[in-house]
Amino acid sequence: MTTLSQSHVFGLVGSVPNALHYLDDQHILYPAGSSIIVYNVEQKSQRFISLSEGGSVTALTSSSRLIAVAEKGEKKAVVTIFDAHTLKKKKLLRDDDAAQNCKEIVSVALSNDNKFLLTQSAEPDWHLQLWNWEKGKVYGSLKLNYAANVRVLQVSFNPFDKNVPQLCVVGHNIFRIYRYTEGTLKPMTFQKTDHRNNMAHAWLSSERIAVSTDDGKLLIYENAELKLELMAGLTNEVHVRPHYLTCLRAGQNGFIAGSNNGFVQVWERADDSTLYRSAKEVKVENAVIRGIAISSNEDSAVCSLENNQLIALTSLQSDDIKVEKLSQAHHSAITGLDVCIRKPLLATCGADQSVRVWNFLENTMEIAKFFKSEPYSIAFHPSGLFLLVGFAEGIKLLKILLDDIRPYWEYNARGCRECRFSNGGQYFVVAHENIVTVRSTWSFDLIVTLKGHAGKVRSVAWSNDDCRLLTVAHDGVVIEWDLRTQRRVSEQSHPSQFQTAIFSAEKAMYVGTGDGKVIEVRESQIAREINVHASVSQLCVGRSGKLVVAATATGHVKAIRYPPPAAADVISLHTHNAPITRLRMSFDEQFLFTTSSDGSLCIVRIHDKELRGGAGSKRDRVGDTAYSDEILALRSDVKDQLKVMNDLRQKVEEIRLENERVLEQRELTYSQKARETTERFAHDIEALATENEVLRQAYETSVIANGKRLAELRDKHMTERRKLEEGTKFKLKAEEERYRALEEALEAKRGQWHGHMNLIRNSLDEELDALRDFYSKRIEEKEIEMRGLEADLGQRRTDFLSKSLDIDSSTDQEVLQLQYYYEQRLKDERISLKQIQQENEEMHKKYDALLKKIESNKVEIQKMSQEERKLTAIIKTLEKDISGARRELQEREDTIEDKEKRISDLKKKNKELEKFKFVLDYKIVELRKQIEPREQDIVRLQGQLADMDVELAGYLKARSAMRFTRDDLLQKLAGTERELEVQQRRTAVARLVVDTLHRDVLALSQHVRDPNSLKRSVRALFHKYCGQPDPPESSVADLQDTPPASPAKAKPHISSAPGRLGSNTEDGASSSSAAATPQRRKQTRSRNKPGAFTDERDQELRQRDLLEKTLSTVQRKFTKQVAARENETQKLIDENVQLTSEVNKLRKELMSISL
C-alpha cells in the first residue's frame, strides 16, 4: 500500500502577523504551506500539524499547553485547538450564529489560565468574541464597526491578571481595553485614543501597555490613560522609508520590537522620566518583520519576515547580538523546479530573481544565487554539475561550483517558460513562445527545431529512451514528436484542455486536464480516465511506472497506483494552500517535491515497499551511498587555495621558529634570573639566619627579665587585693543597713497608695455606669434615624440610575456624532497632509536621484573623455554591432556586480579583522595583567628550584652509592652464573655417564649364554664405573662421541659424581651467602651512621635484599632438584644391582642346564 507523508517544508506564511511562537526553548511554532510547523532548533527537524483541507491560516497563538489556529473558510471561519505536547486536536470552534458573517479571523489569543479564547473577526463587522473553549460557548461579544475606517490588527489578554479576564484591542483608529465582568465586556479606555493608527501592542505590567503607531511613535499607557509618548526612531537612522514598529514582544526588563525596515530594537527600562530606552539595535534584513518570539531565558529570539524568512537572534544579553538565518526560502512564488539523478539535490527558481540548490537528504540549502532578471524555468543536469535556466532575455547554462553558481553558456531565447534535460543528459529542450528547440548539451549545436503549436508551449517531457518528446500548449493541444525522424507522431486535444503530459515506462502517456482528470493514452487512443476532483497542473511518474502523481490547483498531491485503481482509492495529501506550480519525483521514487505560488517548497516522502523492493538499479540495493559527491572547481580557485595554504604553512613555520627562538631567549633569561635570584636568596638566608640568632638571644634575655618582673607584679597585686577586700566588706555592711530602712519606708507608702486607689476606682465606676446608660439611649435613636435615611437613599439611587441612563443614551449619541464629524475632518486633513508629504518625499527622492546621476555622469564623463578620441573613428562600424555591444555591456555589468560583491566581502572581512584586532588587544591587556602573578610564581618556583637542587645533590650522592652497590651485586651475579655453568657441565657429564651405562648394560645381554664372557664383562663394567672415583677424560670424550642409546632399551645408572655436584652447589651457595653477609653488615652499619642516605638509598637497599633473597630461593630450588636427581640415580643403581643378580641367576640356570 502506498502512503504519502510530509518530510520537510522550506518557507513560511510571512503574511500572517504575530504567527511565530516558542513552545519551549527548543521548539518554535509557525505556519508553512498547509500545515503548522513545530521546528526543533537544535536538531533541525520538523513535526507537522495538519489543518482542514482548503483552509488557509489567518492567525496563530500558543501557550505552554495549547495551540490555537484560526483558518479562513468559504462560509465560516474556524478555530482549532491543539494540545501543545501531543499535537492532537482537542476542540473545533465555529460560530453558528446565522447573523454573523465571519469568514476570516485576524487575531486570536489565549488567556493565562488556558481557559478563555479571544477571537477577532475581519471586516465588515469586526466582531470580538470571548470563548470558553472547553464548553464551546461564547461568554461575551462586541461589534467594533462603530466607524467606517476601523481596522483591528491585534488582540490580547492581560498576562498579569489571573482573576478577571482583561483584554486589549488595537488597530487603525482603535485602542480599547475591556474587562469581563457580570457576563459582559465593559470598556476601560477613554475615547480620545481612537484617532491613531496603532500597529501592535504588548503588556509590560498589569497596568502598563506599550503601543506602536504607524507614524513612528511608541505610546506607553497606564491604567488606560496615555502616560508617555516616545519616538521609536533608530540611533543611526537611514531615511529610506518611514520607520515604525510592526510587532512587540514583552520581557522581564523591557520588550523587543521589530520594524518595517528590518530592524530589531531591544528596549530596556530607564531610571529617568522616559521609562524605557532603546538599548540595542540590529539590522536583520531589508524586509518587514511580522512576528517575534523570545525564549524563556530571554537570551535568544526568532523573527519571521514578510519575505518568508526565519531569522534567529542570539546573545541578546550581550552587546554583540548574533544574527543567523534559521530557515531560508524563496521570497515569493517559485516558478521552476527540477531534481538531480546522481546527487541528492534539487534546484528551484523564483520570482525573487534567485536560483537555489537544496539537499533533500540533509534538508538544507546548499547555494543561492540572485540575478538581475527573473528566471522562469530551470532544469538540472543528471550529473548534478550544470543548471539550465530560462530568463526573460534568454537561456543560460550555469555551472555549479562549491559555493557559487556561474554562467557557462548563453543563448538568446526570450521568455523561455519551459526547459528540460534529457534522461541521459546529452540533449536539452527549450520552449519559447510556440517553438521547441533541441540542442546538444556538450557542443550546443542545434539538433532539431519543432514547430506545430498555435499557442505558447507550457510543458515538455522526454521519453525514457530520449527518442520522443511530448509538448503541451496553452490551447490544450498535446503533440508527440519523434526526434529520430523529426516528425510529429500524434496529436491529442480535449474539450476541457490538456494542462500537462508525461511518458510512462510502458510506452504510454498520461495527460492531465483542467476538469480534474488524469487520462492514460496508448497508441493515440484513450485507455482509461481517472478523476482526481481538481484541476491538474503537473504530472510525474516513477521510473518503475507503478506510481503516477498529479498536482492540483487546490494544493493537493494525488498519487495513483498503476494499473490505476478506482477513483475512491486515489491517495491524496494536502501540501499547499495555493496552486502547485511544479512537481518532481526523485530517481529512487522515495521523495516528491512540490512548489507553490506562496514561495514554499515541500518534500513529501513516499512509503511503498513494492517500489523499493522491486527490481531496480544498483542504487535501490545499496541505498544512499550511490549518490556521487563530485563538484566543479575552477583552476584559478584551486590555485588560489593552494597558494593560500602554502602561505599559511610558511607563516606557521615562521611563527613556530620565531616562537622557538623567543622561548630559547626567555629560557636563557629566566635561567640567568633564576641563578641571580638563587644567589640573592642564599645571601638573604644567611643574613636572616644571623639576624634570627641575634633575635633568639635577645628573646631569651627578655624572657628571663620579664619573668622576674612578672613575679614582682604578682606579689604587689596580691597585697593590693587584700586591702581592697577589707575596705569593701565594711562598706557593704553600711549599705545593707540603709537598704533595710528604705524597704520599711516603701511598705508604708505602698499601703497608703492602695487605699487612695480604691477610693478613685469606686468613683470612676459610678461615672462609667452613668455614661453607658446615656450613650446607649443615643445609639438607639441614631439607629432609627439611619434606617430612615437608608430607605430614602435607596429611593434616590433608583431615581438617579433611571435618569443617568437616559442622559447617557442621549449624550453617547451626541458624542458619537461629534466624534464622527471631527474624525472625518481630521481624516481629510491627514489625507491632504500625507499627499503633501508624499509629494515632498518624491521631490527629495528625485533630488537625490539627480544628485547621484550627476555624480555618476561626472565619473563617466571623465572615463569617456579618455576613450572618445579612440572611439570617434569607429563609430560607424560599431553601429552595425549594436547587439554585440549590448551583450558586452551586460557582461560588464555582471563583472561590476561580482566586483561589488567582492568589495562587500572584503569590507566584511575587514570588519571581522577589526573585531579580531579588538579581541587581540583585549587579550594583550589581560596577559599583561597576568604577568605580575606569573613573575611571583616564577620567584616562588625559583625558591622551589633551589630546594630541589639541594635535594638533587643528595639524590646524586645516593645514586653514586647505589651504583657501587649495583656493581657489587653484578659481580656477585657473574660469579653465581659461572658456578651455575660449572654445575650444568657436570650435570651434562653425569647424563652422558648414565647413557653410556645404559648402552653397556644393553651390551651385556649378548653374553647371557656365555657365563665366562658375561662375568668378564660385568667385572669390567664394575671397574669402569665403580672402581675409580672419576672417569678419565678420555672416557668422557668417548662417551660424548658415542651416540645415545634408545630410551626404551636403556637402563638408568649413575655413579656417585652427582653427589659431589650437590656438595659443590651447596658450597657455592654457602660461599655466596657468606660473601654477601659482610656486605650486608656494611650496609647495615652505613644505615646506622648519622647522615645516612635518603629514602631512595633505603629503597635501593631493600631491592638488594630482595635480590639476595631471590638468589637464595633459587639456590634452594637448585639444591632440591639435585637431591631429587640423586634419588633417581640411587633408584637406577638399585635397579642395576637387581639386574646383576638376575643375570647371575640366569647364568646359574644355564650352567645347570648345560650340566
Side-chain angles (χ1 to χ4, degrees):
M1 180 178 179
T2 304
T3 58
L4 304 177
S5 64
Q6 287 182 313
S7 176
H8 199 87
V9 176
F10 294 97
L12 66 126
V13 183
S15 60
V16 180
N18 300 310
L20 182 64
H21 302 274
Y22 261 104
L23 288 182
D24 51 43
D25 288 340
Q26 297 181 354
H27 296 86
I28 59 175
L29 187 75
Y30 60 90
S34 64
S35 305
I36 302 298
I37 307 297
V38 180
Y39 185 75
N40 191 313
V41 180
E42 294 183 356
Q43 299 178 0
K44 309 298 183 183
S45 60
Q46 293 181 350
R47 291 191 297 166
F48 302 91
I49 301 176
S50 299
L51 305 177
S52 60
E53 296 188 2
S56 59
V57 179
T58 58
L60 174 66
T61 187
S62 70
S63 64
S64 59
R65 293 191 299 143
L66 300 175
I67 299 172
V69 183
E71 302 175 55
K72 186 178 181 180
E74 296 180 359
K75 296 181 180 180
K76 291 284 185 178
V78 177
V79 178
T80 311
I81 309 296
F82 296 92
D83 189 274
H85 301 288
T86 61
L87 305 184
K88 292 183 179 180
K89 185 186 295 184
K90 299 190 71 173
K91 195 74 174 179
L92 185 67
L93 303 178
R94 182 185 288 110
D95 190 3
D96 296 329
D97 189 0
Q100 302 295 334
N101 187 16
C102 177
K103 295 183 180 180
E104 182 180 355
I105 294 176
V106 297
S107 182
V108 292
L110 285 166
S111 62
N112 195 27
D113 57 357
N114 296 311
K115 182 179 178 181
F116 295 100
L117 176 71
L118 188 65
T119 61
Q120 175 64 60
S121 67
E123 55 187 357
D125 295 334
W126 299 108
H127 199 201
L128 179 68
Q129 291 181 319
L130 179 66
W131 295 74
N132 186 331
W133 68 268
E134 293 180 345
K135 298 180 181 180
K137 293 182 179 180
V138 179
Y139 277 14
S141 62
L142 285 174
K143 286 187 178 181
L144 304 178
N145 57 348
Y146 55 83
N149 54 358
V150 169
R151 181 187 175 193
V152 180
L153 297 179
Q154 185 182 5
V155 297
S156 69
F157 281 99
N158 186 348
F160 303 96
D161 195 351
K162 299 181 180 180
N163 298 323
V164 180
Q166 187 178 1
L167 49 100
C168 179
V169 181
V170 299
H172 291 181
N173 300 311
I174 183 172
F175 171 70
R176 296 289 180 90
I177 298 177
Y178 295 94
R179 184 181 293 274
Y180 179 71
T181 55
E182 300 177 0
T184 59
L185 294 173
K186 295 184 178 180
M188 299 174 57
T189 313
F190 191 58
Q191 299 294 329
K192 67 179 182 180
T193 58
D194 287 346
H195 65 279
R196 300 177 183 271
N197 288 338
N198 303 306
M199 303 302 297
H201 75 281
W203 291 86
L204 304 180
S205 66
S206 59
E207 300 175 351
R208 185 175 295 174
I209 303 176
V211 181
S212 64
T213 62
D214 64 347
D215 55 356
K217 293 182 180 180
L218 183 65
L219 309 178
I220 306 297
Y221 288 90
E222 193 165 335
N223 292 325
E225 293 183 0
L226 182 62
K227 184 175 182 180
L228 187 64
E229 184 174 330
L230 301 174
M231 292 302 298
L234 302 173
T235 305
N236 298 321
E237 186 172 1
V238 180
H239 295 280
V240 178
R241 54 184 174 183
H243 175 81
Y244 59 88
L245 303 181
T246 56
C247 56
L248 302 175
R249 188 71 70 169
Q252 294 182 355
N253 297 322
F255 58 93
I256 296 179
S259 69
N260 63 327
N261 289 326
F263 281 89
V264 174
Q265 293 178 285
V266 180
W267 291 74
E268 296 179 352
R269 292 179 183 174
D271 297 332
D272 53 8
S273 60
T274 59
L275 295 180
Y276 296 94
R277 63 182 181 87
S278 179
K280 302 166 190 174
E281 299 172 357
V282 60
K283 177 73 172 180
V284 174
E285 195 169 324
N286 192 16
V288 179
I289 299 177
R290 305 293 295 183
I292 294 180
I294 309 176
S295 62
S296 59
N297 58 5
E298 298 187 8
D299 191 47
S300 60
V302 181
C303 304
S304 63
L305 307 183
E306 195 174 32
N307 59 0
N308 306 334
Q309 306 296 309
L310 273 180
I311 306 297
L313 304 176
T314 56
S315 303
L316 292 178
Q317 304 295 337
S318 63
D319 295 333
D320 187 11
I321 300 177
K322 299 179 180 178
V323 180
E324 178 186 1
K325 287 191 176 182
L326 194 62
S327 175
Q328 300 183 10
H330 283 277
H331 301 172
S332 56
I334 300 176
T335 58
L337 169 68
D338 200 8
V339 65
C340 182
I341 294 177
R342 295 192 59 208
K343 293 183 180 181
L345 302 177
L346 58 99
T348 58
C349 62
D352 57 353
Q353 300 180 357
S354 69
V355 173
R356 302 171 187 259
V357 179
W358 314 80
N359 190 318
F360 59 83
L361 292 183
E362 299 177 358
N363 296 326
T364 57
M365 188 185 73
E366 299 286 337
I367 309 171
K369 180 77 170 181
F370 287 86
F371 296 88
K372 292 185 177 180
S373 59
E374 178 184 350
Y376 295 147
S377 60
I378 194 169
F380 217 134
H381 194 268
S383 64
L385 302 178
F386 299 98
L387 289 175
L388 187 66
V389 183
F391 292 92
E393 69 276 7
I395 62 171
K396 293 182 180 181
L397 184 66
L398 309 176
K399 52 186 177 181
I400 303 175
L401 304 180
L402 181 62
D403 55 354
D404 194 8
I405 300 175
R406 297 186 182 180
Y408 180 67
W409 175 79
E410 297 181 9
Y411 175 67
N412 187 13
R414 296 182 179 276
C416 175
R417 296 285 179 175
E418 192 69 25
C419 60
R420 293 291 294 270
F421 278 104
S422 62
N423 295 318
Q426 70 274 25
Y427 305 118
F428 64 86
V429 59
V430 176
H432 55 98
E433 299 297 334
N434 59 347
I435 301 174
V436 178
T437 59
V438 180
R439 290 181 176 270
S440 174
T441 304
W442 312 119
S443 63
F444 308 112
D445 294 335
L446 180 63
I447 304 300
V448 62
T449 300
L450 305 176
K451 298 181 180 180
H453 284 287
K456 294 181 179 180
V457 177
R458 64 187 304 172
S459 174
V460 295
W462 289 88
S463 63
N464 290 340
D465 57 359
D466 295 338
C467 294
R468 292 180 297 163
L469 196 66
L470 271 180
T471 58
V472 183
H474 281 277
D475 57 2
V477 177
V478 179
I479 300 178
E480 180 182 0
W481 305 87
D482 190 340
L483 300 181
R484 290 171 295 188
T485 61
Q486 301 183 3
R487 295 180 180 178
R488 69 176 68 185
V489 177
S490 62
E491 183 175 342
Q492 304 288 334
S493 62
H494 197 268
S496 60
Q497 291 191 353
F498 291 130
Q499 303 288 326
T500 182
I502 55 169
F503 282 107
S504 69
E506 298 182 356
K507 296 183 179 180
M509 64 179 179
Y510 294 98
V511 185
T513 64
D515 59 353
K517 292 182 180 180
V518 177
I519 301 174
E520 180 185 356
V521 179
R522 290 182 177 272
E523 297 179 356
S524 301
Q525 299 295 326
I526 297 177
R528 56 172 60 88
E529 295 183 359
I530 303 151
N531 193 356
V532 295
H533 306 288
S535 177
V536 178
S537 58
Q538 292 283 312
L539 282 175
C540 69
V541 63
R543 58 190 176 86
S544 63
K546 296 181 180 180
L547 186 67
V548 180
V549 183
T552 65
T554 59
H556 290 75
V557 175
K558 307 284 186 176
I560 307 165
R561 290 282 297 174
Y562 183 82
D569 296 332
V570 175
I571 303 157
S572 178
L573 179 66
H574 191 202
T575 57
H576 301 277
N577 284 328
I580 298 176
T581 56
R582 297 287 178 174
L583 173 67
R584 292 290 184 271
M585 184 186 295
S586 63
F587 184 75
D588 54 5
E589 300 184 69
Q590 294 186 18
F591 294 96
L592 283 174
F593 311 102
T594 61
T595 61
S596 176
S597 57
D598 59 0
S600 61
L601 168 63
C602 182
I603 301 176
V604 180
R605 193 168 188 87
I606 303 172
H607 304 276
D608 195 330
K609 295 182 179 179
E610 295 182 5
L611 294 178
R612 301 183 186 179
S617 66
K618 183 179 179 181
R619 183 179 301 174
D620 293 332
R621 297 189 296 272
V622 301
D624 295 337
T625 55
Y627 286 121
S628 65
D629 55 356
E630 58 195 15
I631 58 171
L632 288 178
L634 297 178
R635 188 184 299 275
S636 58
D637 293 342
V638 174
K639 289 182 178 179
D640 293 340
Q641 292 293 332
L642 291 175
K643 184 179 180 181
V644 171
M645 290 173 63
N646 292 328
D647 294 340
L648 291 175
R649 287 196 188 97
Q650 292 177 1
K651 289 182 180 179
V652 168
E653 185 66 22
E654 291 175 357
I655 292 171
R656 187 181 63 79
L657 295 175
E658 182 66 20
N659 290 335
E660 289 179 355
R661 186 182 62 79
V662 171
L663 288 174
E664 290 177 357
Q665 291 179 356
R666 287 181 180 177
E667 186 176 359
L668 292 173
T669 304
Y670 288 149
S671 61
Q672 185 177 358
K673 289 182 179 180
R675 285 194 297 271
E676 293 175 356
T677 307
T678 303
E679 294 175 357
R680 186 172 66 255
F681 284 167
H683 184 269
D684 293 343
I685 288 169
E686 292 176 357
L688 290 172
T690 305
E691 186 178 355
N692 191 15
E693 184 64 24
V694 174
L695 291 174
R696 188 179 62 78
Q697 293 177 0
Y699 172 73
E700 290 176 355
T701 55
S702 64
V703 166
I704 295 170
N706 289 330
K708 293 178 180 179
R709 186 180 178 186
L710 182 63
E712 294 175 355
L713 290 174
R714 189 180 289 111
D715 295 338
K716 184 178 180 181
H717 174 70
M718 293 300 292
T719 55
E720 290 178 355
R721 180 181 177 185
R722 292 190 194 98
K723 293 178 180 180
L724 289 172
E725 285 179 353
E726 292 175 356
T728 305
K729 286 179 180 179
F730 178 76
K731 290 180 180 180
L732 285 173
K733 289 179 181 179
E735 291 293 332
E736 187 177 357
E737 292 175 357
R738 183 183 174 192
Y739 175 72
R740 287 174 183 172
L742 290 173
E743 277 188 346
E744 292 174 357
L746 180 63
E747 288 293 333
K749 291 287 184 182
R750 186 176 292 159
Q752 294 176 2
W753 181 78
H754 279 300
H756 183 66
M757 288 300 296
N758 288 329
L759 294 174
I760 294 172
R761 189 180 293 110
N762 293 329
S763 63
L764 288 175
D765 289 339
E766 292 176 356
E767 293 178 359
L768 185 63
D769 291 337
L771 290 172
R772 188 180 290 112
D773 295 337
F774 175 75
Y775 282 111
S776 62
K777 293 178 181 179
R778 293 287 302 274
I779 288 169
E780 290 177 357
E781 294 175 357
K782 292 293 182 182
E783 286 180 351
I784 295 168
E785 186 179 357
M786 189 182 296
R787 292 192 189 99
L789 291 173
E790 286 179 353
D792 190 11
L793 180 63
Q795 183 65 28
R796 291 183 179 183
R797 182 178 292 145
T798 54
D799 296 340
F800 173 75
L801 290 175
S802 61
K803 291 179 181 180
S804 63
L805 290 174
D806 296 336
I807 293 170
D808 288 340
S809 60
S810 61
T811 54
D812 287 341
Q813 292 178 359
E814 292 177 359
V815 167
L816 290 175
Q817 290 176 358
L818 292 173
Q819 180 183 358
Y820 181 75
Y821 171 74
Y822 285 110
E823 283 178 351
Q824 290 294 331
R825 290 187 61 185
L826 181 61
K827 184 178 179 182
D828 296 334
E829 292 294 330
R830 284 181 177 174
I831 291 171
S832 61
L833 180 61
K834 285 183 179 178
Q835 290 177 355
I836 294 170
Q837 288 178 351
Q838 290 177 359
E839 291 176 358
N840 192 11
E841 288 177 357
E842 290 177 356
M843 293 300 293
H844 278 295
K845 289 180 181 178
K846 289 180 180 179
Y847 180 74
D848 295 336
L850 289 173
L851 288 177
K852 291 179 180 178
K853 286 183 179 179
I854 289 169
E855 292 177 357
S856 61
N857 288 331
K858 287 180 180 179
V859 175
E860 290 178 358
I861 287 169
Q862 290 178 359
K863 293 181 180 178
M864 296 300 294
S865 62
Q866 296 177 0
E867 298 178 358
E868 185 178 3
R869 297 174 184 176
K870 299 178 182 178
L871 296 175
T872 51
I874 54 173
I875 287 175
K876 295 181 181 180
T877 56
L878 289 177
E879 289 177 352
K880 298 179 182 180
D881 301 328
I882 289 175
S883 59
R886 289 177 180 175
R887 188 170 179 179
E888 290 177 359
L889 182 61
Q890 184 66 29
E891 291 176 355
R892 290 182 182 178
E893 290 177 354
D894 293 337
T895 54
I896 290 170
E897 182 181 0
D898 294 336
K899 288 182 179 179
E900 289 176 351
K901 290 183 178 179
R902 180 64 177 171
I903 291 169
S904 62
D905 293 337
L906 291 174
K907 288 181 179 178
K908 291 179 180 178
K909 289 182 179 178
N910 191 15
K911 291 181 181 179
E912 293 176 356
L913 289 173
E914 288 178 355
K915 293 180 180 178
F916 185 67
K917 180 182 177 183
F918 176 77
V919 173
L920 288 178
D921 292 338
Y922 179 78
K923 288 184 177 180
I924 288 168
V925 173
E926 293 295 329
L927 290 173
R928 286 177 179 173
K929 292 180 181 179
Q930 295 175 3
I931 285 174
E932 294 180 0
R934 296 281 180 88
E935 289 178 353
Q936 295 176 0
D937 293 337
I938 288 169
V939 172
R940 180 175 53 80
L941 292 174
Q942 286 173 353
Q944 295 179 1
L945 183 62
D947 297 336
M948 291 174 67
D949 289 335
V950 175
E951 292 178 359
L952 181 61
Y955 291 155
L956 292 174
K957 292 179 182 178
R959 182 180 178 187
S960 61
M962 290 167 64
R963 284 181 178 176
F964 291 130
T965 306
R966 185 192 63 186
D967 296 335
D968 189 7
L969 290 173
L970 290 174
Q971 290 177 3
K972 289 181 180 180
L973 184 61
T976 305
E977 289 177 353
R978 286 195 296 273
E979 290 177 1
L980 182 62
E981 289 176 359
V982 172
Q983 294 297 332
Q984 288 177 353
R985 286 198 297 273
R986 290 184 179 180
T987 303
V989 171
R991 287 178 180 173
L992 292 174
V993 171
V994 171
D995 294 336
T996 308
L997 179 61
H998 286 173
R999 288 195 297 274
D1000 293 337
V1001 171
L1002 185 62
L1004 288 176
S1005 62
Q1006 299 177 0
H1007 305 286
V1008 171
R1009 298 194 178 274
D1010 189 1
N1012 295 325
S1013 60
L1014 182 62
K1015 181 178 181 180
R1016 288 192 299 272
S1017 300
V1018 169
R1019 187 180 293 113
L1021 186 63
F1022 177 79
H1023 288 294
K1024 182 177 180 180
Y1025 291 102
C1026 300
Q1028 53 186 357
D1030 292 321
E1033 293 180 359
S1034 61
S1035 62
V1036 173
D1038 295 336
L1039 289 173
Q1040 292 176 353
D1041 296 334
T1042 307
S1046 174
K1049 296 180 181 180
K1051 297 293 183 177
H1053 181 72
I1054 193 166
S1055 64
S1056 60
R1060 292 190 294 274
L1061 289 172
S1063 62
N1064 292 334
T1065 305
E1066 293 175 355
D1067 294 338
S1070 61
S1071 64
S1072 63
S1073 60
T1077 302
Q1079 184 67 23
R1080 189 179 297 115
R1081 290 174 182 171
K1082 291 180 182 179
Q1083 293 173 358
T1084 306
R1085 287 196 299 271
S1086 65
R1087 291 195 194 100
N1088 296 329
K1089 288 180 181 180
F1093 297 117
T1094 58
D1095 294 337
E1096 293 186 359
R1097 174 65 175 169
D1098 295 336
Q1099 186 176 1
E1100 289 290 331
L1101 294 176
R1102 287 194 296 272
Q1103 291 179 357
R1104 180 174 180 178
D1105 293 337
L1106 180 62
L1107 291 172
E1108 289 176 357
K1109 290 178 182 179
T1110 305
L1111 183 60
S1112 62
T1113 304
V1114 172
Q1115 289 176 354
R1116 286 195 299 272
K1117 288 183 180 180
F1118 182 76
T1119 304
K1120 290 180 182 180
Q1121 291 178 0
V1122 170
R1125 183 61 58 83
E1126 287 178 356
N1127 293 331
E1128 291 180 358
T1129 305
Q1130 187 63 35
K1131 288 180 182 179
L1132 290 174
I1133 291 172
D1134 294 339
E1135 290 178 358
N1136 193 9
V1137 172
Q1138 291 178 2
L1139 289 173
T1140 305
S1141 61
E1142 288 180 0
V1143 168
N1144 290 331
K1145 288 181 182 180
L1146 290 173
R1147 186 176 58 187
K1148 290 179 183 180
E1149 289 177 359
L1150 287 173
M1151 290 176 65
S1152 63
I1153 290 170
S1154 62
L1155 294 174

